[in-house]
Structures are given as C-alpha cells and as structure tokens.
Amino acid sequence: MNCLFCAIINGDIPSTKVYEDEKCYAFLDIAPQAPVHCLVVPKEHIASANEISEDNSSVVAHIFTVIPKIAESLGLSGGYRIVSNVGDDGCQSVKHLHFHILGGEKLSDKMA
Ligand code: AMP
C-alpha cells in the first residue's frame, strides 16, 4: 500500500517525532496551521474516521488517552483543538486516519 503516513511510521520518510508507543505515532505537521500543529496516527492503517469500527476502535480510544500527554509535552496548557478531516468534502488529503492537535494561541471560534 502506498501510504504517506505508513511510510512515516515505518521511518521511510523523515518526521519530527513528538510521541510514539506500540499503537500510535505523533509528529509535527510539515505545514503548520497554528503555532503548535501535531498529528497523531494509529500505526494500524485505517483510512479515515469513517472506517472506525467495533473491531479497530480500541486504538482510537488509546489515542485519546495519549493526546492529553502529548498536549502537555507541547505546552498546550491553555487548551487546544482536535480535528480529523474525512473524505473529499472534509478536505482529507492523506487517507490514513489522523488527528490534528492545534494550539499555541487562541484559535478561531469558526471551525468551517
Ligand atoms: P489532512 O488534510 O487532514 O488529510 O491532513 C494531512 C496533513 O498532513 C496536512 O496538515 C499536511 O500538512 C500534513 N503532511 C503532509 N505531508 C507531511 C509530512 N511529510 N510530514 C508531516 N506532515 C505532513
């Protein structure tokens, strides 16, 4: 499978690692849209949030237990936003489930 984020997880494409464990990997976004912009991805290839099922949802639950630790390590004590784009209308450009963590300033109250 030709997947950019699988290649990053495997170390075939370089990234700036923020966090890693047996189930997920977090790294800085290459084109940040906030002062802090990190991506968290499951190591298992799941195409998007639309493909989350009873069979694979435990990794998503795990990621959401890890996000507060990542946020703390990034200094996001004032809060942050978690975003997951889905499909063409959601402007998902990489078809591997990922959660954007955005923060480091007061974000816009508009989400779309
Ligand atoms: P999305 O548009 O929601 O699918 O998000 C994909 C994100 O991946 C975008 O914010 C990109 O800037 C980011 N991105 C693309 N290539 C890389 C890369 N090589 N390293 C880090 N982030 C990347």
Side-chain angles (χ1 to χ4, degrees):
M1 186 191 314
N2 186 14
C3 170
L4 173 63
F5 288 172
C6 285
I8 286 176
I9 292 162
N10 291 333
D12 298 330
I13 291 175
S15 64
T16 303
K17 180 164 80 172
V18 171
Y19 175 88
E20 181 174 19
D21 64 27
E22 70 282 4
K23 293 179 182 166
C24 67
Y25 186 75
F27 55 104
L28 297 182
D29 197 292
I30 202 168
Q33 296 191 35
V36 176
H37 188 171
C38 168
L39 301 171
V40 191
V41 302
K43 289 189 172 177
E44 170 188 358
H45 183 89
I46 300 170
S48 80
N50 202 47
E51 279 71 37
I52 297 170
S53 67
E54 292 291 345
D55 290 339
N56 63 22
S57 61
S58 64
V59 70
V60 179
H62 175 72
I63 284 172
F64 273 76
T65 69
V66 162
I67 283 174
K69 300 174 193 170
I70 294 172
E72 183 178 19
S73 76
L74 293 171
L76 300 176
S77 57
Y80 52 92
R81 181 169 291 156
I82 302 166
V83 174
S84 190
N85 296 324
V86 179
D88 289 343
D89 282 1
C91 293
Q92 182 186 6
S93 60
V94 179
K95 308 305 186 204
H96 182 128
L97 176 64
H98 51 284
F99 298 95
H100 299 256
I101 301 174
L102 299 144
E105 67 181 5
K106 179 84 171 174
L107 301 172
S108 168
D109 61 359
K110 299 192 185 347
M111 287 193 285

